[in-house]
Amino acid sequence: MVYSELYCQSNFSFLNGASDPEELVNTAAFLNYQALAITDECSVAGVVRAHAEIKRNRLPLKLIIGAAFTLAENFSFLLLCSNKRAYSELCRIITNARSRSAKGEYQLAEWDIKSVRHCIIIWLPSLHKDTDHHWGTWLQRYHSQRCWIGAQRLLDGVDHQRFTLLTEYSETFSFSLCACTGVLMHHAKRLPLQHVMHAMRLHTTVAQIGKAALSNAERTLRPLNKLKKLYPAGWLEETSKIYQLCQFSLDELKYQYPQELVPAGYTATSYLRECVEKGIKKRFPEGLSVEVRETIEKELKLVKEQAYEYFFLTLYDIVQFAQRQGILYQGRGSAANSVVCYCLEITAVDPRQISVLFERFISKERDEPPDIDVDFEHEKREQIIQYIYQKYGRQRTALAATVITFRFRSAFREVGKALGFAESQLSYVLKNINRRDKALPWQSQLSQCGMDPSQAKVKQLIALVEQIVGSPRHLSQHVGGFVISNGPLHDLVPTENTAMPERTVIQWDKDDLESLALLKVDILALGMLTAIQKSFDLLNKQFPHSVDIPFITRLGDDKQVYDMVCKADTVGVFQIESRAQMTMLPRLRPRCYYDLVVQIAIVRPGPIQGEMVHPYLRRRHQLEPVIYPSKEVESVLGRTMGVPIFQEQVIQLAMVAAGFSGGEADQLRRAMASWKKNGRLYEFQEKVITGMTKRGYDKHYANQIFEQIKGFGGYGFPEAHSASFAVLAYVSCWLKYYFPVEFYVGLLNSWPMGFYTPSQLVRDAQQHHIKVLPICINASAIAHEIAYMGTEKAIRLGLTLVKGLSDKGKQCIIERRPAPGYQSLAQIQQLPLIRSDLEALASANAFHQIADNRYQSRWEMMDEQKSLPLFTNEPTQQNFHFAPTSIENLLEDYAATGLSVEHHPIALLAKQRSLDRFSWSNDLINKANKSFVRIIGCVTGRQAPGTASGVTFMTLEDHTGNINVVVWQSTARHQQQPYLKANILQVDGILERSPEGVIHVIAGKLTDRSDWLTKLSVPSRDFH
């Protein structure tokens, strides 16, 4: 018996299908099905994963591409793709239906189905005779030659009635009957999960679904012997006939690049060469060396052989637009770090400074598009996006999708609600479960939160949460991955609307595009580019010479800048600003550009989990010899002292030491990227170890290499990305060292971005002896600005920092500000400002030039007579005798603006209380290693990296600087409330000093001192 399941929905029929595409095709192959049709509702979002799984495991199963639709209340049907034209037709119908509706919905028109010429139609009658006869007649009129009736046997008590009617319809309309199940799960055990998803979709509980829920588990993939008993043989045979008609495969999809970028009289090859030669004159004004010319020719030859000229020209066109608009950008990625991309000005990284094999990224064997991302200023990226839409049209370009999956919090809340738990109880549990405690899983913490894990309902909650975590929830837009095609995009993949206006997405995510070797251009946003550009704008107003990234990089490595970096004075700079990076900087001591490339990459989970950090540091400081087991290994690891730091090196090792081909190495790369999800990396273990031992490598060394590969699994950081980031890291450090005021103003005006809050940036500026001036109704602009105090530069904070001040209010204050400034609060009251604007300005003490204090401002503004024109020039009456204390000013500063220029909370506490027993940040350098210390500070960060085995790194800020605190897992577990909740934290612990002088405090006792300043709210970056 042969059978093909023609009606199957995966979990990409969101909140309906309860199994993923991979589970479905593996089960269908195990059951010896001939074919499986993935028919998600008005979607092909799940088909690529099914296709890739069949190819990866060489399953003896044909995948049929299709989709399910509902046109009217009682008219449902399937469309299956018989050939490539049918597939394009299906994509067009889905695109049209989705374009008529809001995100996540669709609306078919009768014309959509009338226009079907190539797809096979399987009608799914509703068993309402009147409507069925209407739609049966309609289908017979338009599609008599390509329509079947789908017959479902669901053992739900109405099969006899169903089969009688379907047989009648078959005879009436001359449509053949075929068996189909309407699969929603690969195994019957998924029925409870399907019920929960059903309840989520209806925003109700499982108990309230009633008869609408599946009554049994028959909508699963059933064994052939069972199907044989359920259906007449002829109905089963019809599935085989349809299988024979459906010969389309996703492998047939061929991407065509947009071609209008090539001017008349040129070929793509000749035009690309002309653009490169033009760039050579800018990038290499001194002329080309023989070696660089040979590299360019080799790269251009590879590009031509793979026909990727249009890809590079597409990117070239986009970055040329950015240049014309004055938008700062930086290309990165594997192929971006080539001489061709350098000449095309896609990247600022001179490839002569790093060693990246171009063949690794454009290879004949792999035959897939190059990897290039371009970062743009985050405030101006929308200009780039709209340029692409305008140039190519909405028919030819769209963003890639991102599949939003259930994470623990959303899964726990949604499953709990579906099972009938109270929302208040679920919220309480989520607030009190410590998910960062790896040794005590969340399931074991439920009893501490009032849930009894032995109760059946709680057991069911746990089981269902575990099942649903990682399942698709809905499609969203990718952060910037564009697909641009030469013809209509719906010939390739359907598109649909996003929640944002003027945006469309395709139904596949970046991994799907990679699986099918389709082009994606990543147009990404980077806050640091905005900050750097704003700093450049400030500099270029002051100096005749234009300052930009090439200007700074041409100056070469600056000793004084690297001295600053080695001291870990890197608050606010790019990439090397985190506490982990700042701890590593004095140990690695970067002295040149390539050291920064390594520095950025080494503080990553890959090198840390692969235990490569300490060997690299020991070799760098000549504490152990660098030994290579072969010349081939030296060629790969020579630039990093025999230790693999970058993802590319791990893959190159597999090629030179274990004999992997380029294609096999790419499979290894893919397995590394996803092995945390599916564990496929272990499939390569034997090949790596056997390949290395056959080539004469010691088995211990081979095992060590595989352990390092595992360490990079899911976390590998490419050298190409690190090289690009290192340019921006150095530029930001150069700005901070030579032009700190411009640097801080640029950063503050680009917030939110980066690792630090405005409060921390202002504090760092003050510690660099930069005067920071408060918000002032007469002196502040909307944005932060450079102010001059004599010849000294200072930072004047802008109105943008005032919480609750409307944009209209900011604009009004600036536009109506008199030349000599506002002279009284009565003048302010004449402005068309709403009450909340006035209160926000008073709370921020913006009136300090025209009123003694906040309290007086509020008191006078309560006198509404002052808002009358008669009183405009009346002098301020000094009849309010209450003034806020320093503590009250501090609390209002933080509440109104998130920071205080005048006071630090810990400095005020030190005045208010006896804190002689505490050590301050600047005292710790004088304390002995392993000595007991007692510290106190505002908690500004809690970091718990996955590589740290449950350790949390906390940052405490006092009035003299920052203190790094290490909190072991057991300490956090037994003192959970102060660990998670404290605003102001006292730590009793042991000081540890590394040989390089890096100081940490190992936490012992944690004491929450937030009650010492009860209304203080300090911004903290927690667990990002």
Side-chain angles (χ1 to χ4, degrees), residues 932 965-968 971-972 975 987-990 1001-1006:
F932 171 82
V965 179
V966 175
V967 185
W968 299 120
T971 305
Q975 303 178 79
V987 177
D988 296 354
I990 303 298
V1001 174
I1002 310 301
K1005 185 179 180 184
L1006 307 177

Side-chain angles (χ1 to χ4, degrees), residues 700-960:
H700 174 75
Y701 182 72
N703 279 302
Q704 180 185 336
I705 292 297
F706 186 75
E707 287 303 311
Q708 290 173 341
I709 289 173
K710 281 168 55 184
F712 274 85
Y715 297 116
F717 199 70
E719 182 175 15
H721 287 281
S722 193
S724 180
F725 284 166
V727 170
L728 300 183
Y730 179 77
V731 167
S732 59
C733 289
W734 188 90
L735 287 168
K736 179 169 183 173
Y737 182 79
Y738 284 106
F739 298 99
V741 175
E742 289 81 357
F743 171 74
Y744 287 113
V745 170
L747 271 183
L748 288 166
N749 281 332
S750 305
W751 200 82
M753 57 148 285
F755 202 81
Y756 294 95
T757 63
S759 173
Q760 291 168 289
L761 294 173
V762 165
R763 183 69 49 191
D764 191 63
Q766 290 174 324
Q767 289 173 348
H768 283 79
H769 310 294
I770 295 170
K771 181 73 173 173
V772 180
L773 304 174
I775 297 161
C776 176
I777 194 69
N778 285 325
S780 290
I782 293 176
H784 311 289
E785 291 185 321
I786 298 175
Y788 288 89
M789 302 179 68
T791 58
E792 292 293 314
K793 293 177 185 175
I795 299 170
R796 170 67 73 178
L797 297 180
L799 296 174
T800 188
L801 212 55
V802 180
K803 296 177 184 177
L805 178 59
S806 68
D807 290 338
K808 281 187 179 179
K810 296 170 195 170
Q811 207 66 42
C812 174
I813 290 164
I814 302 301
E815 289 175 354
R816 301 200 179 204
R817 183 186 285 160
Y822 298 105
Q823 301 299 310
S824 68
L825 289 171
Q827 272 184 290
I828 301 294
Q829 288 176 283
Q830 299 294 314
L831 299 175
L833 296 175
I834 57 178
R835 187 75 194 170
S836 60
D837 283 344
L838 293 171
E839 290 173 355
L841 289 164
S843 292
N845 204 24
F847 302 129
H848 62 268
Q849 275 194 356
I850 53 178
D852 285 346
N853 57 65
R854 293 176 167 92
Y855 290 179
Q856 184 192 340
S857 300
R858 290 192 186 118
W859 176 260
E860 290 200 26
M861 284 192 294
M862 288 171 66
D863 183 357
E864 296 188 359
Q865 284 188 345
K866 293 289 182 70
S867 63
L868 301 174
L870 179 65
F871 296 98
T872 300
N873 298 313
E874 282 289 306
T876 298
Q877 298 296 316
Q878 303 292 332
N879 58 355
F880 190 77
H881 303 295
F882 296 99
T885 64
S886 297
I887 293 282
E888 288 167 334
N889 272 326
L890 172 83
L891 293 174
E892 288 225 34
D893 281 341
Y894 272 92
T897 66
L899 59 86
S900 175
V901 170
E902 298 293 329
H903 306 288
H904 191 279
I906 304 302
L908 286 182
L909 283 179
K911 289 181 181 178
Q912 187 186 50
R913 295 171 176 270
S914 176
L915 300 181
D916 296 339
R917 58 205 174 111
F918 289 93
S919 298
W920 306 125
S921 172
N922 60 358
D923 296 334
L924 297 181
I925 194 170
N926 301 315
K927 300 288 183 180
N929 189 30
K930 303 294 183 183
S931 61
F932 171 82
V933 291
R934 176 169 287 155
I935 57 175
I936 190 170
C938 299
V939 180
T940 59
R942 297 174 175 90
Q943 300 299 309
T947 53
S949 303
V951 177
T952 301
F953 302 100
M954 299 181 77
T955 303
L956 300 191
E957 178 189 277
D958 66 23
H959 53 300
T960 68

